[in-house]
Amino acid sequence: MGKLLAVALVGIAAALVVERLLTLRKVQHPSSLQTVAEFGNTQLQITQNRLNASREIAPVTLPNCQLIKGIESGSEDIDILPNGLAFISSGLKYPGIKSFAPDKPGEIFLMDLNEDNPRAVEMRISRGFDLASFNPHGISTYVDKDDTVYLFVVNHPHQKSTVELFKYVEDDNSLVHLKTIQHDLLTSVNDVVAVGPDSFYATNDHYFSDFILMFLEMFLGLTWSNVVYYSPKEVKEVAAGFYSANGINISPDRKFIYIADILDHNVHVMEKHANWNLTHVKKLQLDTLVDNLSVEPSTGDIWTGCHPNGMKLLYHDLENPAASEVLRIQNILSEEPVVTRVYADNGSVLQGSSVASVYKGKLLIGTVFHRALYCEL
């Protein structure tokens, strides 16, 4: 019922705007025309502000960086195990976003950051899984008590949203597909953070999954994005009121959940309770579009790949590409968190950074649709 009402409200809003414009074309009443023009201009300005459409950044370089061979069409999310094995999702096809390989199925790469010269290796996925429609987005790993490694992958086959559960097989660096998770509350999933071998929190970056309605949702500034808790026994909404909930992760002590609202330029801190509900603790306001969040286990620092100018990400221009930015957030629970811009590039090296993750002084920076960067800090 709630979803039908939401659809109806958005439809009515759109219809009223269209009807108003059509009526005014016939009447040509100056004051009414001005009202509609002002409304349109105001909403356009608000949308441009959310996208940081006018922002340019000064470069921040790191001395020991190189592009990772073999990753050519995105590295949207990265999750690193405590032993230094990094899982990388690649090949995302997302409505309105550039893809350099629109007809190629998505992939999961693996890198061993303990090696002197780590390289990305495409992982083999077990038979029976539909590789042709594989469209991976956010990912999360979970290490069980018996050291079994589970990989959760947000998937968009045929523009739908599922969460695929895999088991990592160390002997041959492969993935065994265990099951596909679908639910009415998992409508437009962006990212997940695993909290058990078959349970997780997930962000829905939009209320709608239809591209036109998604755009209208953003243009009207609707805060209908949410966070859902999933387990085989219970599925429920645990946080709401976001413009576009994006990256999600958990603190090293497992007490707090961090959520990035990409269109509101902030990171929310939520306390996790025994019943899996979340309550708001604080939010950290930033000046950039925050994408995925990675948490450094030894320090609790949050590393994030960001979009300095979201308009450039949406309107891909080879002459003026999307920039990249990496932030490190220290002591987020304190009254004065420290935010450091670790890396920034105007798109000449790396376009559209979406994630940054570290392991023992080694930094991986991923992108929505472009390359991936390996740096030694």
Side-chain angles (χ1 to χ4, degrees):
M1 181 62 69
K3 186 172 183 179
L4 290 175
L5 178 60
V7 173
L9 288 173
V10 172
I12 290 170
L16 287 173
V17 172
V18 172
E19 186 273 338
R20 184 71 167 163
L21 288 171
L22 291 175
T23 301
L24 290 174
R25 281 184 179 179
K26 297 176 183 178
V27 177
Q28 297 292 313
H29 192 283
S31 61
S32 298
L33 283 170
Q34 184 178 2
T35 299
V36 173
E38 288 175 353
F39 169 78
N41 288 335
T42 299
Q43 290 305 117
L44 180 60
Q45 184 61 52
I46 291 173
T47 302
Q48 289 176 337
N49 290 341
R50 290 197 189 102
L51 292 173
N52 266 2
S54 60
R55 184 174 181 233
E56 301 292 340
I57 58 167
V60 177
T61 59
L62 292 171
N64 302 303
C65 294
Q66 61 187 38
L67 292 169
I68 299 172
K69 293 181 180 180
I71 298 181
E72 307 287 343
S73 54
S75 43
E76 204 281 336
D77 202 6
I78 299 170
D79 202 9
I80 304 176
L81 292 175
N83 64 5
L85 292 180
F87 295 85
I88 304 170
S89 68
S90 180
L92 174 65
K93 271 75 71 177
Y94 191 84
I97 301 294
K98 175 69 177 179
S99 172
F100 286 128
D103 300 321
K104 183 181 179 182
E107 303 163 289
I108 301 294
F109 287 93
L110 186 70
M111 288 185 72
D112 186 349
L113 297 180
N114 296 295
E115 297 177 353
D116 291 334
N117 297 296
R119 59 191 183 93
V121 178
E122 181 185 353
M123 302 191 73
R124 183 176 61 83
I125 298 177
S126 60
R127 292 181 180 179
F129 179 70
D130 183 8
L131 285 172
S133 65
F134 191 36
N135 188 11
H137 201 162
I139 63 175
S140 180
T141 56
Y142 183 83
V143 183
D144 211 350
K145 295 178 181 178
D146 61 359
D147 291 329
T148 300
V149 176
Y150 296 97
L151 178 68
F152 295 73
V153 182
V154 177
N155 187 21
H156 301 294
H158 313 292
Q159 301 305 321
K160 298 178 181 179
S161 281
T162 66
V163 176
E164 310 294 346
L165 179 58
F166 298 94
K167 182 175 74 173
Y168 169 60
V169 180
E170 185 177 4
D171 292 343
D172 59 357
N173 285 333
S174 66
L175 295 172
V176 175
H177 184 247
L178 301 179
K179 63 179 177 178
T180 296
I181 298 169
Q182 291 179 287
H183 194 274
D184 289 344
L185 290 181
L186 300 173
T187 54
S188 181
V189 185
N190 184 294
D191 196 17
V192 293
V193 58
V195 292
D198 54 5
S199 59
F200 55 85
Y201 290 101
T203 57
N204 285 308
D205 54 16
H206 293 83
Y207 189 93
F208 301 108
S209 55
D210 178 83
F211 175 66
I212 295 176
L213 291 178
M214 287 167 63
F215 176 80
L216 187 60
E217 186 179 340
M218 179 181 70
F219 183 75
L220 293 177
L222 304 179
T223 54
W224 290 355
S225 170
N226 67 357
V227 177
V228 172
Y229 168 73
Y230 176 92
S231 75
K233 295 181 179 180
E234 183 181 28
V235 186
K236 58 184 178 181
E237 180 184 82
V238 291
F242 303 95
Y243 285 100
S244 184
N246 199 290
I248 186 168
N249 218 312
I250 192 168
S251 61
D253 60 10
R254 318 291 289 180
K255 293 181 179 179
F256 300 95
I257 297 294
Y258 306 131
I259 303 159
D261 189 335
I262 192 169
L263 291 180
D264 207 22
H265 311 167
N266 55 39
V267 176
H268 293 251
V269 178
M270 314 287 283
E271 184 177 1
K272 179 174 69 69
H273 299 284
N275 62 0
W276 304 106
N277 287 341
L278 302 177
T279 54
H280 185 265
V281 176
K282 64 179 294 187
K283 70 178 178 180
L284 176 64
Q285 198 65 39
L286 301 165
D287 63 350
T288 188
L289 280 72
V290 189
D291 205 315
N292 290 310
L293 306 174
S294 298
V295 178
E296 189 173 358
S298 60
T299 63
D301 296 350
I302 299 172
W303 293 73
T304 176
C306 306
H307 307 287
N309 186 322
M311 191 70 78
K312 292 183 180 182
L313 182 70
L314 293 176
Y315 297 96
H316 180 69
D317 181 357
L318 288 174
E319 301 299 322
N320 190 20
S324 292
E325 184 177 29
V326 171
L327 299 183
R328 179 187 187 184
I329 304 169
Q330 297 170 279
N331 304 318
I332 192 168
L333 294 172
S334 70
E335 293 185 2
E336 296 184 2
V338 177
V339 180
T340 306
R341 183 172 289 107
V342 177
Y343 176 83
D345 177 71
N346 63 5
S348 60
V349 176
L350 204 65
Q351 300 177 20
S353 58
S354 56
V355 63
S357 194
V358 296
Y359 173 78
K360 293 184 177 180
K362 298 177 180 180
L363 169 66
L364 295 179
I365 307 173
T367 66
V368 179
F369 59 82
H370 194 228
R371 306 288 301 277
L373 200 65
Y374 166 76
C375 302
E376 294 182 355
L377 299 174

